[in-house]
Amino acid sequence: MPKQNLVIIGAGMASGRALEELLALAPDAYNVTLFNAEPRGNYNRIMLSPVLSGEKTYEDIVTHTAEWYEENGVTCRFGEKIASVDRARKVVISETGEEVPYDKLMFGTGSNPFIIPLPGHDLEGVIAYRDLEDTNTMIALGEKPGAKAVVIGGGLLGLEAAAGLALRGVDVTVVHIMGHLMERQLDEAAGYLLRKALVDKGIKVMCSANSKEILGENGRVKALLLDDGTELPCDLLVMAVGIRPNIALAKEAGLMVGRGIHVDDQMITSDEDILAVGECVEHDGAIFGLVAPLYDQAKVLARTLVGEEAKFVQKELSTKLKVTGCDLFSAGDFAEGEGREDIVLRDPARGVYRRLVIEKGKIVGAVMYGDTADSNWFFGLIKDGEDITEMRETLIFGPAYQGGEPLDPMAAVAALPDDAEICGCNGISKGDIVAAIKAGAHDLGAVRATTKASASCGTCTGLVEQVLGVTLGDDFVIPAAQGMCGCTDLSHEDVRRMIKSQELKSQQAVWQACGWKTVNGCHVCRPAVNYYLLADWPLEYQDDPQSRFVNERNHANIQKDGTYSVVPRMWGGITTPDELRAIADAADKYNVPTVKVTGGQRIDLLGVKKEDLPAMWYDLNQAGLVSGHAYSKGLRTVKTCVGKDHCRFGTQDSTGLGIKLEKLLWGSWTPHKVKLGVSGCPRNCAEATCKDVGIICVDSGFEVSVAGAAGMDVKETELLAKVATEEEAIALTTAFIQIYRENAKYLDRGYKWVAKVGLDWVKAQIVEDLKTRAALVERFEISQSIYRKDPWAEQATPDYREKKWNPIADLTLEAAE
């Protein structure tokens, strides 16, 4: 049978999946021509948020590469828009006038973002959040210092846009017209928790706020004006207020349309040779914006194209938010109504909230925030309409507690029906995964490659592994967590827990007690274990220099030509003529080719030969200079401004406070590098708001903020507390450094660790609990009694220099006859 011609308009997620399904069913049935107005092929549009936040790249979310299209014989016409469809002659006509005939035509035209017709909506800098161009525009904004953005819309898309912009360092304000965020998916209580979490991430949120006008200057947006007169300055305004099915071309072609293109259960439009799929369709009065039903449609459409029986059935939908640190799940209907009851679990301390809406002995809605591990189980109960009367008393605690006592959590997965949805991003059911496993996909990677389950946002990874475990039995071991390295299956957290609980005080004790697979660990685990031991047992454990990276072993930064850079410490950025002479003399004596001022108020001597290091340290020590630890996972610098002694605006002695902090904290080993800044006034000349700890001096005292960054990621600090005295500011800073030392994973920067545990938890420990704060400060001082020392001084002594730095043999001498 000769091939028929299939023309597809639109390379979105739905048409891409339909194409995959079709080629899997009948690879030789059609000559396929794929038109797309965008200059690219299919990519996973719902993963644009991780691209915006920097967690993924565009290349990571491409679903079909140029090679894939070529291998499958798909003719790609990307960047070409179809202008019209002549149904009588069965041709599509491009904007250039070219006609392409079809036997079957598929509409996958998706949807268009809705733009509120506010005055000023057509200004430059007003964008939607729909495609890669919008995403790249927002990413580019993050490169502009001090950039501000306003996002109109507190729904799923708007919040993901705001979170991504915030992670790019943009000052973001979300403006939402309703009383709480995501009001279509969440109740007020869950909306409050979500808002609180976003505010903790530095995002400003304004609910019950009505936009009135977008203000511009020279044709470009400059602010959003609210109807109460509030003006929100912005460099970019993102409108994320919904989408509308793109039906213009179908309507012009004479197809039946309503809100979307009308399709029947087989995804056929009012023309039997034209089908439609995705966000552009209307089925039984419903339109679609989530991905799961789109993929169901794609399967049905592909079967229809090859003459197989299939029927699209609308199902219950669930929602998850793709914002790191905000675990949120919503499904079903949770509106109040006669005969409906609520079961609510609140645990504010852990930020956990669950609400189940019960009607006639069945769950009809579920909202979960903070702990969404059981979301698929609850979603299954909603979809199946299961009677929950018998388990009502323990229902809220999830599947592991049914029957009054904890059950094997695997039993809940085993009990899921085959049509239970496991991967919402890709619409993959338990049955799909089980089929793939039985066909040979025996690990997570193989299941991902075969079914795409857990290959997008990854939140279902644990569930996929449980399905693997249930299906393969003892042949599959579910990894509890990612191991530190190949030497152990234990995670960093597990090892740290073992060190504390079993009082392991040597590396050998760790290797034995934790069942290390290697004799002495490797370059990955040894530095981490060395750090954990010295942080937890500073008095008992002896630091192991051989478990440190080369810079820490040599107490200088190795450069790309093999030479080193030496950075003497300057307390709080203050130096003296004598110190400067000593540095200049050292630079002359050891032929230092480059002397550079660093961004942290230090002088960097670049290009020092390794063999000259101990002698140079000795000379610098004689002038009173010590190591600046510019190479270390420890305190680097405390940057200061000149403060009230010199500056007209200075409110406190910021330089003096910086010196006190640096002399207190130096030499302390930490999970990653630590930098501080102290500014004498809110003008912030010391750039304190992008440090691990930043202190802003104000008239009333000191604002202590934490968890900033200005490296690979740029992030503004978050306010820890406002205190009246310098002593309180120092104690808070010390306690924060110590709680970070005691709890963070090795190589986790401070801001990443705070994001994991939550700023509220940190505040509860060191701001609200004075006893805990004092205990942390005391433990820090105990540790510093050992480690507050200059490593140069020890290694520059004649004895040490002889042993470590002199060569074992002089190979330049000629051998004796």
Side-chain angles (χ1 to χ4, degrees):
M1 184 176 176
K3 284 187 175 182
Q4 292 189 308
N5 294 318
L6 170 65
V7 172
I8 303 174
I9 306 174
M13 294 177 66
S15 67
R17 178 56 65 92
L19 191 52
E20 279 182 26
E21 298 280 351
L22 174 64
L23 291 170
L25 289 169
D28 298 322
Y30 290 95
N31 293 311
V32 180
T33 303
L34 176 60
F35 283 90
N36 197 28
E38 283 189 62
R40 60 185 67 86
N42 303 91
Y43 62 92
N44 190 339
R45 195 183 298 275
I46 64 171
M47 298 306 288
L48 283 174
S49 294
V51 172
L52 173 59
S53 65
E55 294 166 87
K56 289 183 181 288
T57 65
Y58 168 69
E59 287 70 27
D60 293 332
I61 67 170
V62 170
T63 55
H64 302 85
T65 63
E67 292 75 22
W68 186 90
Y69 292 120
E70 185 175 354
E71 289 170 5
N72 289 282
V74 178
T75 302
C76 298
R77 305 287 295 268
F78 299 150
E80 296 185 40
K81 190 174 181 181
I82 295 299
S84 61
V85 177
D86 187 335
R87 291 168 53 199
R89 295 192 296 128
K90 298 183 72 169
V91 295
V92 298
I93 304 165
S94 74
E95 282 191 327
T96 61
E98 183 185 354
E99 296 185 350
V100 178
Y102 67 82
D103 297 300
K104 296 288 183 184
L105 176 63
M106 181 199 306
F107 272 79
T109 46
S111 58
N112 295 321
F114 179 63
I115 299 293
I116 305 171
L118 289 171
H121 70 277
D122 51 356
L123 287 166
E124 186 183 351
V126 177
I127 65 169
Y129 184 21
R130 180 61 187 161
D131 55 26
L132 185 63
E133 277 67 34
D134 297 328
T135 306
N136 285 337
T137 299
M138 287 188 271
I139 290 172
L141 182 68
E143 296 172 0
K144 178 181 177 181
K148 294 178 182 292
V150 168
V151 176
I152 299 180
L156 204 63
L157 205 56
L159 298 184
E160 290 179 0
L165 282 164
L167 281 173
R168 293 279 177 184
V170 177
D171 182 346
V172 189
T173 302
V174 175
V175 174
H176 192 48
I177 193 170
M178 303 304 290
H180 68 271
L181 298 173
M182 292 183 67
E183 76 286 349
R184 293 173 62 187
Q185 292 89 9
L186 303 183
D187 62 10
E188 194 170 352
Y192 167 79
L193 287 175
L194 175 60
R195 175 177 179 160
K196 188 168 178 292
L198 293 170
V199 169
D200 284 345
K201 291 177 178 293
I203 299 169
K204 301 180 185 71
V205 179
M206 300 180 70
C207 290
S208 303
N210 194 20
S211 304
K212 181 179 181 182
E213 183 179 356
I214 302 171
L215 307 177
E217 187 173 74
N218 300 323
R220 184 170 180 84
V221 63
K222 73 165 188 178
L224 175 68
L225 177 66
L226 305 182
D227 64 359
D228 66 357
T230 302
E231 197 171 302
L232 302 172
C234 60
D235 304 290
L236 187 74
L237 189 143
V238 182
M239 218 178 274
V241 291
I243 56 175
R244 300 285 186 273
N246 183 3
I247 59 173
L249 184 63
K251 187 175 182 181
E252 187 180 327
L255 297 177
M256 288 183 63
V257 299
R259 291 191 295 163
I261 304 170
H262 284 179
V263 294
D264 62 14
D265 292 346
Q266 283 69 48
M267 310 310 298
I268 298 173
T269 69
S270 54
D271 183 327
E272 64 179 359
D273 291 321
I274 301 179
L275 300 89
V277 66
E279 292 177 341
C280 63
V281 309
E282 178 180 339
H283 173 266
D284 198 17
I287 57 176
F288 307 87
L290 299 177
V291 71
L294 272 55
Y295 284 172
D296 286 345
Q297 293 172 7
K299 290 179 185 176
V300 172
L301 183 144
R303 281 165 173 71
T304 302
L305 281 174
V306 298
E308 292 186 6
E309 288 190 10
K311 181 179 180 180
F312 174 63
V313 178
Q314 296 180 33
K315 300 175 182 174
E316 287 282 356
L317 299 176
S318 62
T319 299
K320 289 181 180 177
L321 184 65
K322 293 184 290 302
V323 174
T324 302
C326 295
D327 291 324
L328 182 152
F329 169 84
S330 172
D333 179 6
F334 51 87
E336 293 183 359
E338 190 174 345
R340 289 189 171 184
E341 303 167 277
D342 289 344
I343 302 177
V344 177
L345 169 68
R346 298 178 196 271
D347 187 346
R350 292 195 303 134
V352 172
Y353 173 83
R354 287 184 177 186
R355 180 186 173 203
L356 303 176
V357 182
I358 312 295
E359 186 176 31
K360 297 178 181 176
K362 298 176 182 177
I363 305 177
V364 296
V367 185
M368 305 173 69
Y369 186 87
D371 178 5
T372 58
D374 297 329
S375 57
N376 278 287
W377 184 72
F378 285 114
F379 187 43
L381 295 178
I382 294 172
K383 285 196 300 182
D384 298 342
E386 190 166 330
D387 190 330
I388 51 83
T389 307
E390 295 295 323
M391 52 179 154
R392 179 171 175 135
E393 287 188 6
T394 54
L395 181 67
I396 196 72
F397 301 112
Y401 290 88
Q402 300 319 305
E405 59 185 17
L407 299 176
D408 178 2
M410 297 293 284
V413 177
L416 289 174
D418 279 351
D419 64 350
E421 185 181 82
I422 302 295
C423 175
C425 292
N426 293 294
I428 306 301
S429 68
K430 177 187 170 185
D432 295 331
I433 296 171
V434 170
I437 296 168
K438 290 180 177 176
H442 289 175
D443 58 38
L444 182 63
V447 170
R448 280 178 177 161
T450 308
T451 68
K452 296 185 186 300
S454 101
S456 293
C457 76
T459 55
C460 64
T461 297
L463 201 54
V464 173
E465 289 174 338
Q466 289 180 345
V467 175
L468 274 159
V470 167
T471 308
L472 296 175
D474 293 340
D475 290 339
F476 180 78
V477 177
I478 299 175
Q482 188 174 4
M484 289 178 69
C485 62
C487 300
T488 179
D489 294 330
L490 297 175
S491 67
H492 283 264
E493 291 78 8
D494 291 335
V495 172
R496 187 130 215 210
R497 204 174 300 117
M498 291 277 282
I499 289 172
K500 291 177 193 289
S501 63
Q502 298 194 21
E503 299 192 359
L504 308 177
K505 298 180 180 178
S506 69
Q507 292 189 12
Q508 289 69 30
V510 173
W511 312 147
Q512 293 300 318
C514 299
W516 236 247
K517 300 174 186 175
T518 53
V519 178
N520 284 311
C522 68
H523 69 287
V524 175
C525 61
R526 282 175 64 101
V529 169
N530 184 56
Y531 168 73
Y532 296 147
L533 288 167
L534 70 83
D536 288 342
W537 312 110
L539 300 181
E540 293 94 339
Y541 178 68
Q542 182 71 39
D543 180 34
D544 175 23
Q546 294 308 310
S547 294
R548 294 193 173 279
F549 297 121
V550 60
N551 284 351
E552 292 187 351
R553 285 203 305 274
N554 293 332
H555 300 288
N557 283 346
I558 191 167
Q559 306 297 333
K560 66 179 184 180
D561 62 354
T563 63
Y564 287 79
S565 65
V566 171
V567 185
R569 189 171 289 281
M570 291 179 179
W571 309 104
I574 290 291
T575 186
T576 65
D578 285 343
E579 288 180 346
L580 291 173
R581 285 189 197 95
I583 292 172
D585 289 344
D588 279 342
K589 183 176 179 180
Y590 298 102
N591 298 315
V592 172
T594 304
V595 180
K596 185 182 184 307
V597 176
T598 72
Q601 299 179 331
R602 305 285 187 267
I603 292 177
D604 196 348
L605 301 165
L606 289 148
V608 182
K609 296 175 184 174
K610 183 179 178 182
E611 57 268 28
D612 287 339
L613 286 174
M616 176 183 268
W617 296 339
Y618 179 82
D619 291 351
L620 292 171
N621 274 171
Q622 297 308 301
L625 292 159
V626 299
S627 169
H629 289 85
Y631 47 83
S632 72
K633 305 291 182 286
L635 179 75
R636 297 282 179 91
T637 62
V638 182
K639 191 172 183 178
T640 64
C641 67
V642 295
K644 69 176 183 180
D645 286 351
H646 301 281
C647 177
R648 289 180 297 142
F649 306 107
T651 64
Q652 309 281 354
D653 178 14
S654 55
T655 308
L657 177 55
I659 292 171
K660 288 177 186 173
L661 284 169
E662 188 160 351
K663 291 195 171 181
L664 177 75
L665 302 173
W666 79 294
S668 60
W669 298 106
T670 47
H672 209 299
K673 61 185 176 185
V674 169
K675 295 182 179 179
L676 275 66
V678 183
S679 288
C681 76
R683 286 163 184 79
N684 195 20
C685 292
E687 300 165 333
T689 49
C690 61
K691 304 297 185 187
D692 296 281
V693 180
I695 299 177
I696 303 288
C697 302
V698 293
D699 288 328
S700 58
F702 305 85
E703 295 179 357
V704 182
S705 58
V706 298
M712 293 290 286
D713 298 322
V714 179
K715 179 182 174 297
E716 188 178 356
T717 51
E718 301 174 67
L719 182 65
L720 185 64
K722 297 179 181 179
V723 293
T725 66
E726 195 175 82
E727 290 70 26
E728 290 174 288
I730 291 172
L732 269 180
T733 302
T734 308
F736 175 76
I737 297 295
Q738 182 64 10
I739 201 170
Y740 166 55
R741 295 178 75 234
E742 292 183 0
N743 293 277
K745 186 174 79 173
Y746 187 63
L747 297 185
D748 255 359
R749 287 289 305 274
Y751 71 98
K752 290 188 176 179
W753 172 71
V754 170
K756 288 179 182 175
V757 301
L759 186 62
D760 283 349
W761 182 83
V762 177
K763 286 180 177 177
Q765 302 298 307
I766 65 175
V767 178
E768 297 157 16
D769 188 340
L770 296 180
K771 190 175 176 182
T772 298
R773 184 199 300 180
L776 286 163
V777 171
E778 183 180 357
R779 291 201 291 274
F780 182 78
E781 274 302 322
I782 291 172
S783 178
Q784 287 295 77
S785 68
I786 304 296
Y787 292 107
R788 190 187 287 136
K789 63 183 181 183
D790 175 31
W792 289 357
E794 180 186 23
Q795 299 216 16
T797 57
D799 286 350
Y800 199 107
R801 198 190 307 184
E802 185 74 25
K803 290 178 188 172
K804 177 176 177 180
W805 297 96
N806 285 353
I808 297 172
D810 187 348
L811 301 179
T812 63
L813 297 176
E814 292 183 12
E817 290 290 337

